[in-house]
Amino acid sequence: MKRNNKSDGTEEEIHQMDRRKERIHQHVILIADLSALIVKELKAVSDGMSIADIMGRFAQYSAGQIEDALESAIEDEYIEVEIRESGVRWYHPVWSDEPE
Amino acid sequence: MVEHTSERRRSRHPREGDDQPREMRETEGGVEVREHEAGVREVSESRGSVEHRLSAALRELEAREGREETISRRLREAFDDLERREQRRESTESRLREALESLEENNDIAETSAREEIEPGKHTIKEHPRINYIEKERLKEVFRDLRESESTDVEEISTRIEDLARDLPRNGERIRIGDLSQADISGERISNIEDLLRNQGQEVRESLRERFANEKSDDIRVGLVKEKLYIWTPDTSPNDMIYSWRTQYFYMDTQDASRITEETGRKLKLGIDENQRLTNLNDLMQQFADESNYSQICIKDTNSRLTGEALRFCRDAIGIDTRDFEGKVRRIAGANGHGGIENPKFPTGKDLEELRARLMGTVVSDCYVRPDGIVELTEKNLQRIERFKEETLRKFGDFTKEPRFSKEANYYRLKMPSPYGRALNEWSIPSGDRTILNYGLPKETENWSREATIAYLQDMISQEGHIAEGKIRWERSNVLNPGQKADGYDMQPKLTQPEIELLIDKGHHYPGDYDGEKTLRWNKIKELTHHESLKIAETAKELCNVINENRNRLMDDEEKIANRLGIHLEVNPEEVAVYRSGRISVKWEARTNDTKSMIRWALVCSPNHPEKEVALNKWLAKHDDEEVQQVINELQNEGFNVSNNWREDIR
């Protein structure tokens, strides 16, 4: 494919860039939606969940996706993580003082 | 913000316990009252005098029995005199009442027309309450039939509210108040109306919405508290951030929040003390609310909050400028109070329209508006993110979040707090996967100013655009089959199994694709419509039909707004992709279709992106001077602010 006199490369390279961008966009949506599911699940249990519990509950997702989703939920102040004496990461929802 | 000193300057009704006759004398009605007050004093003094004379006459009667006849006559005269004075006193009292009513009306008019200056702290805020008091005679006229009718139903009440709402003077008033106790309606009937508004308020509102359909505002709110009818016609312009954040919570210092609610309660005559006024204000807001889950105004010891909906009602009642809330509102957040925007700003009018356009241009391109309102941007150029933060996000308040870099994806991710997403929702940009929703631009874009249109295209092309082969181009996808996401979006698949099989069979597997994923280019699909196999040709034709019936709405609308700047585009399908989740999407491409359009784009709405801006300027710099100058002349004739010294400008 011929290279054009432009900053963005060949036509095919542009299509490749856009396909990649589309994938990233879908990944962002997947992580955000998974994060919402995990928060919902954590709110439904009284004592929080360990990372292993969460992995087990969302077995259809990869470990990387779950880690990303947990990190996102912590950043959004929906959940918090506690490192127990055993070294196990334990996740709890952050409850609001406000009437929701 | 709202200073109590205003109370000391405002005329009040003397029957409400006013002890400030000096202020009353400042009004025309006040002069009349003073005269009649004097009249009452005269009657009172004369009455004592007559009694004194009666006593004297009686004593004289006892002392001078021989002069009975004379004394009787004087007694009769004295009684006659007393009777006349009593009559005069009644007449005086009647005139006094009339004068007081007149004074009340004058005060009401004065309240709505005068701008009061109050000085809360360092800066002066001007008030212009947007309240209009319905005259007694008008209330009687409007409710005349209802007095005689036995039934009270939604349509009857809606008809009367419609009449009153249509009376609303066109000088900015948004709230009408009518005291139904003055409308010659029985207390029982007023209770019936109140019950109906409380129990069937949504039906009344819907009825009013139908009656005001196609008018500037079809949103009419009605409430009834303590026999007073309140009709609120709120501002529903997207160029108002308080409206755009009406579902959000505004956190303030308690002193400021209570001043606002207290001032509102006073202006609306919602009670005799602070607690009563706040309770009744909440009651009124509850009746105004869209749904039953109205969130109460919460005045706490240290930090108070009220919804944007309540705040904009208070704003209308007090009549202060939206910008005056800046510095008073500490934070805006969603219901759970987490996160949010610190020290929010409230741009208005054309400034807000342009900012909104800029924000939309970025969001509909590289952002995900989550269902919880948080907006996530993915972008690989850090300078572009900084520009976006500085030129757009910080115009709505403090923005301290930093982008996070994803090594695997080689992209930065920036999260915007939920108030951004909620405002976007109000501006018709929904939460969710836009490729599935396939929404177009909001209807308001049809009326955008040229500046807003330019701002949108500048930021959209910064995110989505490529400058290539003397063209500006960008791509957008929309889903034909949602795959695993079908349930969440209530979307039916558009493609049949034979069409899917054709895509997989004839599609190409690109580097980076997962197993089983295929992409079929549009040109290839068109070729397949002439395939020797009739079955393949027919399936390919069906596929073409489905694609053409499911155009990308955003891109079609973008083509329309670009046309308004004289930029002409070609919009065509580019390819169809099948993902392993079962999702199938069609990608569309828009590109400038002539050199003049490209020159126009470069001169009028150069990308707001450090690299793309340079790339486009480089292309323009290589271009023929004469052709560029010809476009400049055209643009100048059309009223665009374009300099002849373009080479200097793009350097």
Side-chain angles (χ1 to χ4, degrees):
Chain A
M1 182 138 324
K2 91 176 162 68
R3 179 168 282 276
N4 306 296
N5 57 343
K6 59 189 185 293
S7 63
D8 281 334
T10 66
E11 192 165 316
E12 187 48 43
E13 282 169 351
I14 290 172
H15 288 313
Q16 287 284 25
M17 280 167 62
D18 279 335
R19 282 188 205 112
R20 190 164 164 274
K21 217 170 113 174
E22 179 71 18
R23 280 196 186 285
I24 290 168
H25 187 66
Q26 283 183 43
H27 177 75
V28 168
I29 294 174
L30 184 143
I31 297 303
D33 291 352
L34 175 58
S35 175
L37 288 174
I38 293 173
V39 172
K40 194 178 169 189
E41 196 73 18
L42 282 170
K43 284 190 170 178
V45 294
S46 55
D47 192 34
M49 290 167 84
S50 70
I51 182 72
D53 291 340
I54 296 169
M55 294 279 187
R57 197 73 63 96
F58 295 95
Q60 69 274 37
Y61 295 93
S62 71
Q65 288 170 337
I66 290 173
E67 292 282 358
D68 282 355
L70 286 169
E71 193 185 325
S72 177
I74 291 169
E75 188 189 350
D76 299 338
E77 300 176 23
Y78 286 132
I79 63 171
E80 56 193 2
V81 62
E82 165 201 3
I83 311 290
R84 295 203 162 170
E85 282 182 11
S86 58
V88 172
R89 280 183 292 159
W90 209 268
Y91 294 88
H92 302 273
V94 174
W95 295 103
S96 168
D97 294 336
E98 303 287 2
E100 290 184 47
Chain B
M1 174 157 314
V2 181
E3 177 60 46
H4 288 311
T5 51
S6 66
E7 280 305 304
R8 290 196 290 274
R9 302 183 63 176
R10 187 161 54 91
S11 298
R12 292 206 331 249
H13 195 302
R15 285 186 301 184
E16 291 175 1
D18 200 324
D19 57 357
Q20 298 163 317
R22 186 184 58 79
E23 290 181 0
M24 288 201 305
R25 284 181 205 121
E26 289 172 4
T27 67
E28 193 182 332
V31 172
E32 202 176 348
V33 170
R34 186 181 53 174
E35 288 171 358
H36 291 301
E37 278 180 329
V40 172
R41 281 197 295 275
E42 184 193 332
V43 167
S44 178
E45 286 163 13
S46 301
R47 195 177 180 186
S49 164
V50 171
E51 282 168 359
H52 178 73
R53 285 161 60 195
L54 272 171
S55 302
L58 283 169
R59 282 198 300 275
E60 195 176 351
L61 179 65
E62 286 170 2
R64 301 179 186 185
E65 287 179 353
R67 293 157 63 188
E68 268 183 6
E69 207 169 310
T70 308
I71 291 167
S72 296
R73 179 175 53 80
R74 289 174 66 183
L75 267 173
R76 275 199 304 278
E77 284 173 1
F79 274 117
D80 287 349
D81 190 21
L82 179 63
E83 198 171 1
R84 278 197 303 276
R85 286 174 186 272
E86 284 289 337
Q87 283 171 353
R88 276 175 56 194
R89 180 171 173 267
E90 274 185 20
S91 167
T92 302
E93 279 184 342
S94 159
R95 286 165 63 195
L96 179 61
R97 268 197 302 276
E98 285 172 15
L100 288 172
E101 283 171 6
S102 163
L103 174 66
E104 187 173 35
E105 283 171 14
N106 285 338
N107 278 348
D108 292 341
I109 292 164
E111 262 194 312
T112 55
S113 60
R115 293 179 70 89
E116 301 173 20
E117 287 195 17
I118 51 178
E119 292 183 3
K122 291 178 182 173
H123 62 288
T124 299
I125 291 172
K126 294 194 172 185
E127 293 186 4
H128 181 193
R130 294 175 169 188
I131 303 170
N132 174 272
Y133 296 85
I134 306 166
E135 288 173 9
K136 186 168 67 178
E137 292 308 317
R138 179 65 180 141
L139 279 174
K140 284 181 183 173
E141 181 191 336
V142 168
F143 285 94
R144 186 187 301 126
D145 297 342
L146 205 65
R147 284 198 297 274
E148 291 153 12
S149 160
E150 287 192 359
S151 70
T152 309
D153 63 27
V154 168
E155 287 309 308
E156 280 193 39
I157 293 300
S158 301
T159 301
R160 273 132 194 102
I161 304 297
E162 180 188 358
D163 286 352
L164 293 172
R166 287 194 190 282
D167 286 347
L168 200 62
R170 296 181 186 277
N171 53 351
E173 284 98 339
R174 296 201 168 275
I175 302 167
R176 295 209 86 188
I177 306 176
D179 187 347
L180 291 189
S181 66
Q182 293 186 342
D184 285 352
I185 312 175
S186 69
E188 188 185 356
R189 180 45 60 90
I190 294 173
S191 293
N192 291 345
I193 297 170
E194 185 171 347
D195 288 346
L196 183 134
L197 289 175
R198 286 182 187 280
N199 301 324
Q200 294 173 272
Q202 286 305 313
E203 292 170 51
V204 172
R205 202 163 146 194
E206 277 311 308
S207 174
L208 289 167
R209 202 181 292 278
E210 285 170 19
R211 291 159 191 259
F212 285 84
N214 305 320
E215 294 188 29
K216 195 175 177 186
S217 177
D218 63 356
D219 189 8
I220 313 286
R221 315 290 182 89
V222 192
L224 206 157
V225 176
K226 302 284 179 200
E227 299 198 333
K228 288 196 185 70
L229 180 72
Y230 295 85
I231 303 170
W232 180 36
T233 311
D235 183 1
T236 54
S237 161
N239 286 343
D240 171 17
M241 282 315 296
I242 309 285
Y243 169 73
S244 304
W245 278 327
R246 67 200 171 103
T247 60
Q248 299 296 283
Y249 290 80
F250 289 61
Y251 286 79
M252 295 183 212
D253 283 351
T254 290
Q255 195 182 18
D256 290 326
S258 58
R259 275 180 183 176
I260 288 170
T261 54
E262 172 60 2
E263 191 67 11
T264 302
R266 282 178 187 275
K267 292 268 197 275
L268 299 178
K269 303 181 193 300
L270 280 169
I272 55 168
D273 61 48
E274 198 168 339
N275 280 342
Q276 199 180 73
R277 284 190 280 268
L278 182 59
T279 303
N280 289 335
L281 178 59
N282 268 318
D283 181 12
L284 187 57
M285 290 308 302
Q286 174 84 61
Q287 294 180 58
F288 284 161
D290 282 328
E291 293 158 5
S292 56
N293 59 350
Y294 164 69
S295 182
Q296 298 275 310
I297 295 165
C298 183
I299 306 290
K300 286 196 234 168
D301 290 345
T302 52
N303 205 11
S304 298
R305 73 176 194 171
L306 61 166
T307 60
E309 183 77 343
L311 192 64
R312 70 187 182 127
F313 181 63
C314 294
R315 178 188 59 182
D316 285 350
I318 302 169
I320 56 176
D321 194 86
T322 304
R323 289 267 189 183
D324 291 331
F325 288 120
E326 286 181 8
K328 294 293 171 192
V329 180
R330 292 283 185 87
R331 188 165 60 92
I332 292 176
N336 66 13
H338 291 175
I341 298 176
E342 302 278 348
N343 299 315
K345 293 174 184 166
F346 308 105
T348 57
K350 291 292 171 195
D351 290 346
L352 177 54
E353 185 181 83
E354 200 175 316
L355 277 171
R356 191 167 62 250
R358 222 170 263 297
L359 183 62
M360 279 184 195
T362 300
V363 168
V364 301
S365 300
D366 280 333
C367 291
Y368 174 46
V369 184
R370 292 173 16 180
D372 63 359
I374 290 175
V375 183
E376 295 195 35
L377 166 72
T378 47
E379 163 63 46
K380 71 176 180 183
N381 188 302
L382 199 54
Q383 274 182 287
R384 163 63 193 156
I385 292 178
E386 285 306 318
R387 276 196 193 185
F388 178 56
K389 280 165 67 173
E390 196 54 40
E391 294 174 15
T392 307
L393 298 179
R394 289 195 178 121
K395 303 289 184 190
F396 295 96
D398 291 356
F399 194 95
T400 53
K401 278 186 176 289
E402 292 299 327
R404 290 189 174 201
F405 184 66
S406 166
K407 237 179 200 176
E408 303 79 48
N410 193 29
Y411 263 75
Y412 289 94
R413 198 165 72 181
L414 181 72
K415 283 187 181 178
M416 301 166 221
S418 62
Y420 289 100
R422 292 300 175 228
L424 286 157
N425 292 160
E426 288 294 336
W427 299 330
S428 302
I429 303 295
S431 291
D433 187 338
R434 69 169 175 280
T435 55
I436 296 179
L437 296 167
N438 191 22
Y439 54 77
L441 286 174
K443 194 165 170 50
E444 64 147 323
T445 58
E446 292 171 8
N447 302 314
W448 268 358
S449 64
R450 181 180 279 173
E451 289 75 18
T453 306
I454 290 169
Y456 175 88
L457 291 175
Q458 281 184 319
D459 276 55
M460 181 278 289
I461 213 65
S462 299
Q463 296 302 134
E464 292 284 48
H466 301 281
I467 292 110
E469 295 178 314
K471 292 183 189 302
I472 287 180
R473 54 205 282 177
W474 68 99
E475 297 180 343
R476 293 201 178 281
S477 296
N478 53 285
V479 162
L480 298 174
N481 281 19
Q484 290 171 359
K485 282 194 174 178
D487 294 343
Y489 286 88
D490 191 29
M491 179 189 180
Q492 296 302 313
K494 303 280 192 291
L495 297 175
T496 61
Q497 196 54 36
E499 290 153 7
I500 297 168
E501 284 166 10
L502 181 75
L503 287 168
I504 293 169
D505 185 41
K506 302 291 181 188
H508 184 75
H509 185 82
Y510 286 97
D513 286 351
Y514 292 106
D515 286 347
E517 292 187 344
K518 292 288 185 68
T519 301
L520 189 58
R521 305 294 293 268
W522 174 247
N523 288 344
K524 182 75 177 166
I525 297 171
K526 294 288 278 180
E527 278 175 23
L528 290 172
T529 60
H530 305 293
H531 198 273
E532 56 190 16
S533 157
L534 197 60
K535 190 182 169 194
I536 290 174
E538 285 303 313
T539 306
K541 279 178 192 167
E542 279 305 309
L543 186 55
C544 286
N545 289 341
V546 173
I547 290 167
N548 285 321
E549 285 163 9
N550 290 277
R551 294 181 63 85
N552 190 285
R553 291 179 188 143
L554 206 47
M555 192 167 263
D556 283 347
D557 287 346
E558 284 165 342
E559 184 190 9
K560 283 178 201 160
I561 66 168
N563 276 341
R564 294 214 300 262
L565 302 180
I567 295 168
H568 303 293
L569 304 167
E570 282 176 18
V571 177
N572 290 303
E574 188 62 34
E575 61 189 27
V576 180
V578 182
Y579 296 93
R580 63 177 173 174
S581 62
R583 172 194 183 101
I584 301 173
S585 62
V586 55
K587 184 179 287 175
W588 297 77
E589 187 194 65
R591 60 170 77 190
T592 48
N593 69 355
D594 55 46
T595 307
K596 272 192 175 180
S597 291
M598 185 73 174
I599 296 172
R600 272 180 179 255
W601 202 306
L603 292 170
V604 171
C605 44
S606 188
N608 193 12
H609 185 291
E611 288 175 1
K612 292 175 186 177
E613 184 182 27
V614 169
L616 190 54
N617 284 343
K618 274 184 181 171
W619 175 86
L620 192 65
K622 286 177 189 168
H623 216 73
D624 178 57
D625 271 16
E626 201 174 319
E627 196 169 4
V628 175
Q629 190 57 50
Q630 193 187 343
V631 175
I632 287 174
N633 293 344
E634 285 173 14
L635 286 167
Q636 286 174 340
N637 287 337
E638 292 165 29
F640 285 89
N641 185 20
V642 186
S643 163
N644 286 317
N645 198 13
W646 61 275
R647 283 202 181 273
E648 194 61 35
D649 291 345
I650 64 171
R651 186 164 293 161

